[in-house]
Amino acid sequence: MEHLLEIEKIHCGFEGHDVVNDFDLSLAPGTMISLLGPSGCGKTTMLRAIAGFEPVTSGKILLDGRIVSSPKIRVSPERRRVGMVFQDYALFPHLNIAANIAFGLPRESTAEKKRITDRMLELVGMEGFGHRYPDELSGGQQQRVAVARALAPEPRLLLLDEPFSNLDTELRERLAIDVRDMLKEQNMAAIFVTHDQHEAFVMGDSTGVIHNGRILQFDTAFNLYHEPANRFVADFIGHGRFLQGEMLGPDKVQTRLGILHGNRAYPWDKGTKVDILLRPDDVLIDEDSPIRCFIQEKAFRGADTMYTVGMNDDSELLSLMPSRFDYKVGEEVGIEIDIDHLVLFRHQS
């Protein structure tokens, strides 16, 4: 497959400290991916290295098969045909919206600038706003302008650095969907960086979970949630708790809640101590179950409620139930385990 972007084992960082370590990634034209991780994991530094704002100390970055970053080569950002949308929008307050969008088109004629600007305003749903100034717009509108400005020079690749983090939750979700659909319509390759899982899954065809400057797992949202490759991904993605068990066979585990059967085999010997990942949708509250627990906490979420259920050994599990069921904190309930994806890790005390 043809690759628009290839990143081969790069290192980069600050003052001799690597923030990005042995990082590999490839991106095909028209593909959208998300890079997801906690603050300080290296995802923004990686984005800036792709754009040309940060040098690499080893490895290389190629765009369209041409090296643009290596220890000896560093093509300037303006020659990479890479657009970037920043967290703080970075609009020029003294320029109106039309001038902001046209800023990256210095070689175009006045008529061509107007044509492109009008097309970009239409693309982001802001026709008629060209004469306004950034401080006259809402945060969501400013972010749309930032996307329009980045798209105006027709980049081959668009980089988005936590572009919705300054917006309220409802607007973030709506704008993320709008921007994704807009980029899909343009067949635009894009890399979206965020610490928000929902945004990552909305924006990316696939998502890479980053920790300590490395991608630990690059996969679909479904697999990151149901088939995490390691304990960090299991902890970071979604919600869940670990239940201790002991291997009875390659796909069978003895636990205090009974024997759990899995959808895949593990190579560990019988008797190996393991931790089983139980997601909230694996734990069902069932009044007829002989396994008794009590409700420690509840969080109403509209269509469903997240319950924290405590067991006699002071361990706890999470259970996600439709909100038509209304259990009280302190109430004793029965639970059953209905698990489709058996995710095991060697036990950690």
Side-chain angles (χ1 to χ4, degrees), residues 62-244:
L62 298 90
L63 284 168
D64 286 320
R66 181 172 66 104
I67 296 176
V68 293
S69 285
S70 74
K72 296 182 178 180
I73 298 173
R74 187 178 176 190
V75 176
S76 62
E78 64 272 14
R79 294 175 55 205
R80 297 192 181 202
R81 288 192 64 196
V82 172
M84 191 157 182
V85 180
F86 297 93
Q87 180 177 347
D88 59 358
Y89 320 139
L91 300 180
F92 299 110
H94 62 289
L95 299 179
N96 66 21
I97 300 311
N100 263 281
I101 294 174
F103 184 81
L105 306 169
R107 295 183 177 85
E108 305 294 344
S109 66
T110 301
E112 185 64 7
K113 285 181 181 179
K114 184 178 186 311
R115 185 191 70 80
I116 295 173
T117 298
D118 289 346
R119 182 166 62 87
M120 289 298 107
L121 286 171
E122 181 180 358
L123 179 65
V124 299
M126 294 189 63
E127 304 96 319
F129 282 78
H131 65 285
R132 298 196 186 184
Y133 285 81
D135 63 359
E136 300 179 88
L137 304 182
S138 68
Q141 290 172 328
Q142 289 185 49
Q143 193 56 276
R144 289 175 184 271
V145 174
V147 172
R149 185 179 63 182
L151 291 176
E154 297 184 341
R156 293 293 309 278
L157 173 64
L158 185 65
L159 309 176
L160 301 101
D161 185 13
E162 305 220 28
F164 311 126
S165 60
N166 293 331
L167 307 176
D168 63 73
T169 301
E170 183 179 350
L171 180 57
R172 284 167 64 174
E173 294 181 2
R174 188 168 69 247
L175 193 55
I177 293 172
D178 288 346
V179 170
R180 178 202 62 195
D181 292 346
M182 183 194 315
L183 298 179
K184 286 289 186 183
E185 182 182 331
Q186 299 295 306
N187 196 33
M188 174 65 62
I191 300 177
F192 178 82
V193 156
T194 183
H195 64 273
D196 184 286
Q197 297 173 31
H198 180 72
E199 287 181 6
F201 298 152
V202 167
M203 293 293 292
D205 302 317
S206 298
T207 296
V209 177
I210 300 181
H211 181 54
N212 290 335
R214 292 183 173 89
I215 292 183
L216 299 186
Q217 185 173 353
F218 189 76
D219 219 324
T220 63
F222 182 92
N223 286 343
L224 290 172
Y225 184 84
H226 289 293
E227 302 286 352
N230 53 63
R231 190 181 288 264
F232 178 86
V233 176
D235 275 332
F236 189 73
I237 298 295
H239 299 278
R241 294 290 187 271
F242 287 103
L243 177 71
Q244 189 175 345

Side-chain angles (χ1 to χ4, degrees), residues 297-308 319-329:
E297 299 176 15
K298 62 185 293 187
F300 184 79
R301 300 185 174 191
D304 49 48
T305 301
M306 180 78 81
Y307 292 97
T308 303
S319 178
L320 189 66
M321 296 290 290
S323 62
R324 65 178 181 273
F325 300 100
D326 187 23
Y327 301 102
K328 309 301 181 186
V329 172

